[in-house]
Every structure is written in structure tokens, then in C-alpha cells.
Amino acid sequence: MQKLILLALVGLGAQLVDGSLGMAYGVTSTTLLLAIGTNPAAASATVHLAEIGTTLVSGLSHWRFGNVDWKVVLKIGVPGAIGAFLGAVVLSGISTEVAAPLMAVILLTLGLYVFLRFTFQGLPKTQLGKPLRKRFLTPLGLIGGFVDATGGGGWGPVGTPAILASGRLEPRKTIGSIDTSEFLVAVAASIGFIWGIGSENIDFGWAFALLVGGVIAAPIAAWLVRHIPPRVLGAAVGGVIILTNTRSLLRSDWIDAPDNVRYAFYGVIYAAWAAAIVYSVLQYRKHSSEDAEIIAEAEAIAAGGAPDDKDKTPANA
């Protein structure tokens, strides 16, 4: 019972992050399942079964808050489902000894991407309003779906930053559309895993616990997406993923690092993680202040000009 309660809390926390950041439910949940010794294919299957419910509720919640672009959902979701089914079949055929460190590498890579992207770049907002083409979304969906199934997560880390980097869809609609389209990915991946490893190898109790936590968090996250700074959240979540999967790799048969080496790595990661969070907070505050100044100046101009405008010369205006 304690483990089920813990899994429900993991699902709740992961969905809060995923629904407000557009990524990391699968990566976070799978990372923690692997940390307690779950078979890689079974861990990914368990998470994807839970995601059928969480993504459905999350998608509906985002739709209610106006965070979904349905054209993007279909253009990326359908190829994503195809990629997820293929990825599930591939992972099901790999032995646990090979799959565990391989999945840790994939998750570590995704964690590094999330960590660096959101710590140093934040969210780009250029070229808003321009259409997202099929030739961009189709291969993105195929790759994202395949990585998501084989890595136990990755739909958000692949899809969300790529669409945000295009600058063509505002952040809240990017997050809402990725979360909504993930329903198709979760269904296809679950079918692939059941076909590949059989339903008897999946712990449906664990999947249900993750589902309960995720369903509770989904509508809250859809509301929070307008209020929580994604830059700070991305740095925090990326650090968790990096630390956990570095631990898995260093303890695996591939490396089997001695204790002193592992602890040295952990110390460096903790220090970099803390510095990244502080930097992200400072950058968020800086840009928030700049945006507030721009808005204040625009409002002053619209009202007839600020009092100080008369004192400015062309050289210092």
C-alpha cells in the first residue's frame, strides 16, 4: 500500500510538471520506476497505460482553458502514434541487461536537453502566428513517438522544445497541444507493449496508482501553465532526471563505478543543479522586469506620454 501511495504521489508530481511544462511525465515516472528495479519494458508500459488516462484528462483541461491547437494535435499526434507503436515493439524485444542502461542513456540525454534548454534559453517567442507545416510536424511526431516508447518518455522533451524553437505557436498552446496529442501516443505505445511483452508482465496496480495521481494534477497543471515560470521548472526537473539516470548508469554493468567516483559525480551534479536553478530564477526575474517596463512604457504612450518624456533628448531617449 505504501508503494502505491508513493506511486500516486509520483504521478501527481510528474503530471503537475508535464501539464505546466509540456514534458517530463513519462521521463520522470519511468526514471523512478527504474530506480526501484522495474524491468525497462514493463516500466515504460506501466507509464504509458497510466498516460492514457492522464493525457485524456490533461487534454480536456487544456482545451477548457483554450490551450489547444487541434490542427497541430492531428498533424503531430498521428505520426507520433505510429512511432510509439514501433518503439514499443523494439523495446519489448531487447533483453533487460541491455535495455536498462540503454534507457538510462536515452533518459539522461533527454534530461540534459531539458536542463540546458530551459536554464540558458528559456522560451523563444518569435514568429508567432505562422503556420506549422506537415513536413515539420510529421517527422517530429515519428521521432518523438519512437523515443517516447523506447525511453519510457520523450514525447514532450522532443516535441515541446522543437515547436517552441520554431517560434510559431505561443508557449501555452504548444504545451497544451503536445499534452493533448500524447493521448494518441500513449494508446499506440500501450498496444505495442501488450502485443510485445504480454499483459501479464505489466503491473496494472502501479499503472492505476500513477493514473490517480496524474488525473488529480491534470486540471491544476492546465491552469498553472499560465502562472508558473517554465524556465525555472525546466531547470529543476532536468536536474532530477540527470541525477537519477547518472546514478543508474554508474551502477550498471556497463560502468560499475566505485563509490568514490559515483559520489564525485553526484557532487558535481548537485552543484550544477543548484547553480542552474538560481540562474533560472534570476533570469526569469530580469526578463519579467524588462517585460513590465515595456508594458508600462506602452501604456504611458497610449495615455499621451509619460511625464519624463518631455525631459528626454534624442541622445538619451
Side-chain angles (χ1 to χ4, degrees), residues 15-16 19-20 57-58 60-63 65 67 217-226:
Q15 184 57 44
L16 278 174
S20 55
V57 175
S58 181
L60 290 172
S61 300
H62 277 297
W63 169 65
F65 284 102
N67 299 337
I220 302 172
W223 177 79
L224 285 176
V225 73
R226 296 170 179 259

Side-chain angles (χ1 to χ4, degrees), residues 18 51 55 148 155-156 177-187:
D18 188 272
E51 282 184 324
T55 54
D148 187 80
W155 179 248
S177 300
I178 286 292
D179 268 16
T180 304
S181 59
E182 194 171 9
F183 172 75
L184 300 175
V185 174
V187 171

Side-chain angles (χ1 to χ4, degrees), residues 18 23-31 43-44 47-48 51 91 103 106-107 110 143-158 182 185 193:
D18 188 272
M23 64 180 73
Y25 179 90
V27 176
T28 304
S29 301
T30 304
T31 292
S44 186
V47 170
H48 281 92
E51 282 184 324
L91 183 61
M103 185 178 285
I106 294 173
L107 292 170
L110 293 172
I143 295 170
F146 187 86
V147 170
D148 187 80
T150 54
W155 179 248
V158 171
E182 194 171 9
V185 174
F193 280 119

Side-chain angles (χ1 to χ4, degrees), residues 244-264:
T244 308
N245 287 288
T246 298
R247 176 181 177 274
S248 298
L249 272 177
L250 293 176
R251 293 167 65 94
S252 71
D253 292 338
W254 284 12
I255 300 176
D256 193 20
D259 290 346
N260 60 333
V261 173
R262 295 206 310 270
Y263 295 146

